[in-house]
Amino acid sequence: MLFAPFGREGQQRLSRTSAVLVGCGAIGAAAANLLVRGGIGRLRILDRDFVEASNLQRQSLFHEADARQSLPKAVAAERNLQRINSDVAVEGIVADVTPGNAEDLFSGFPLILDGTDNFETRFLINDFSIKNSIPWVYAAAVASYGLTMAVVPGQTACLACLLDSPDSAGLEETCDTIGVLGPIVNLIASLEVAEGMKILAGRSSALHGHLISCDVWSGKFQSLRPERDPDCRVCVHRQFSYLAGEVQPHITMCGRDSVQIHERNRSLDLKVLEDRLAATVSGVRQNGFLLRFLVPPYEMTVFSDGRAILKGTKDPAVARSLYAKYIGS
Ligand SMILES: [Zn+2]
């Protein structure tokens, strides 16, 4: 409130508004922390994954106990954020954002923040944003390098103005093998949330309108203002192919040797599944949110919405066959 460009009025506006955060890994955890401490009124957090010990180096919202319990990140984030600021309505939803559920999960929020680890989901967010005229802030990081830009429909370039397709991003293929430093994700999340807070507090005139890239290792920082593409597929021609589900969903998981399998509209009773599997496989554990078991060299984690993450392979065929065998086809 003492910071004049934001002021008491900006703070009051922030406390009466909301945002949806898509993905709560490293950037998402840092962004959620800042927004909740900053006093946003309501924050919805969407995440498909669970906490592991190897996340703790950069995912600043989670603790060792969350990893020991294999809590879904959306659940651990909600609990930890409520202990930070109990005035904020935090809603963690364990879900993978897909063309089938994106409109339901994003609707009603004046801002979408990017905490995802893949460009398919970013193009889906971009489609929703342009179609419904809702701003979003893009943020990505890998190794020591990151990028961020606020997309304001009708005013700024959109993600599709910058990149033709996920393949042209050049960031995604590498995150499995080259890691990511804690400092870059916190820096990118800070830049992302600063733009988001301007939008939420009614200070959009203060948006800098730049795509910022930075590298905490080389010390190189760049800031440029991208032009809108006069022939953009999304913001000019309004072809929302990701939202329409015309693009194959992404099934590999960033930063780990795993694939994800979707079984939509399938609700699993984890206790029943635990009892059934305990007779045939080893290491069966469940915590009310997910169930895990071992089929060496693989480890399967199944969520109550029927989704599963198979660790130990990147081959979807292997994952599908083990899923059919142990969970059902
Ligand atoms: Zn565009």
Side-chain angles (χ1 to χ4, degrees):
M1 286 189 278
L2 292 175
F3 177 62
F6 200 75
R8 179 175 290 273
E9 198 234 340
Q11 185 66 48
Q12 282 169 347
R13 281 191 182 214
L14 183 64
S15 71
R16 287 196 297 262
T17 191
S18 61
V20 56
L21 173 64
V22 187
C24 198
I27 289 176
N33 199 332
L34 288 166
L35 284 166
V36 167
R37 288 183 191 275
I40 191 172
R42 177 172 167 234
L43 183 65
R44 172 177 286 179
I45 297 171
L46 310 171
D47 194 277
R48 61 181 180 173
D49 203 358
F50 51 87
V51 183
E52 292 186 298
S54 64
N55 300 151
L56 301 181
Q57 150 265 4
R58 64 192 182 283
Q59 302 190 9
S60 56
L61 203 51
F62 307 125
H63 309 151
E64 287 178 339
D66 301 324
R68 273 196 299 275
Q69 296 171 55
S70 299
L71 284 181
K73 290 179 184 176
V75 172
E78 182 185 304
R79 287 182 187 173
N80 294 333
L81 289 164
Q82 264 159 0
R83 292 168 65 192
I84 289 170
N85 185 348
S86 58
D87 287 339
V88 179
V90 181
E91 177 193 22
I93 299 179
V94 184
D96 189 27
V97 175
T98 66
N101 64 16
E103 301 205 58
D104 281 346
L105 292 169
F106 299 164
S107 286
F109 291 88
L111 177 70
I112 304 170
L113 291 163
D114 179 7
T116 70
D117 59 2
N118 67 86
F119 276 89
E120 277 82 357
T121 309
R122 293 190 181 105
F123 275 95
L124 185 58
I125 295 170
N126 191 61
D127 275 4
F128 179 90
S129 157
I130 301 300
K131 185 180 175 189
N132 297 285
S133 219
I134 301 291
W136 74 286
V137 190
Y138 159 51
V142 67
S144 59
Y145 172 74
L147 288 163
T148 181
M149 184 181 86
V151 174
V152 182
Q155 293 177 40
T156 68
C158 80
L159 186 64
C161 291
L162 307 183
L163 298 169
D164 286 339
S165 69
D167 298 332
S168 57
L171 280 169
E172 196 170 357
E173 272 24 85
T174 48
C175 61
D176 281 357
T177 48
I178 62 177
V180 59
L181 285 178
I184 188 61
V185 294
N186 283 275
L187 176 58
I188 289 293
S190 294
L191 295 169
E192 176 185 32
V193 170
E195 295 306 277
M197 284 173 73
K198 292 173 192 173
I199 293 169
L200 293 173
R203 301 293 186 266
S204 292
S205 60
L207 290 168
H208 54 62
H210 286 71
L211 171 68
I212 296 182
S213 67
C214 30
D215 187 323
V216 294
W217 206 253
S218 67
K220 283 191 184 130
F221 285 62
Q222 281 188 314
S223 179
L224 57 93
R225 186 187 290 270
E227 296 286 322
R228 284 187 70 185
D229 175 356
D231 199 30
C232 178
R233 175 177 53 80
V234 180
C235 69
V236 176
H237 296 297
R238 300 186 69 81
Q239 291 167 8
F240 305 119
S241 51
Y242 284 81
L243 207 52
E246 292 160 10
V247 182
Q248 197 64 15
H250 193 74
I251 59 164
T252 59
M253 307 285 285
C254 175
R256 52 169 75 185
D257 185 22
S258 303
V259 288
Q260 177 183 243
I261 315 175
H262 272 278
E263 292 291 319
R264 278 182 215 142
N265 304 321
R266 180 193 196 111
S267 176
L268 294 173
D269 184 326
L270 296 179
K271 185 77 189 78
V272 170
L273 189 61
E274 181 184 23
D275 293 344
R276 178 159 65 78
L277 286 171
T280 52
V281 296
S282 61
V284 182
R285 279 169 48 199
Q286 65 107 355
N287 63 11
F289 303 103
L290 54 84
L291 174 144
R292 176 170 301 158
F293 59 94
L294 301 169
V295 185
Y298 310 111
E299 179 186 87
M300 185 170 278
T301 303
V302 188
F303 295 83
S304 52
D305 64 359
R307 252 178 343 110
I309 295 172
L310 185 74
K311 193 172 182 180
T313 183
K314 287 187 174 176
D315 182 351
V318 172
R320 290 215 173 83
S321 98
L322 287 171
Y323 190 96
K325 180 170 177 186
Y326 292 101
I327 313 301
S329 50

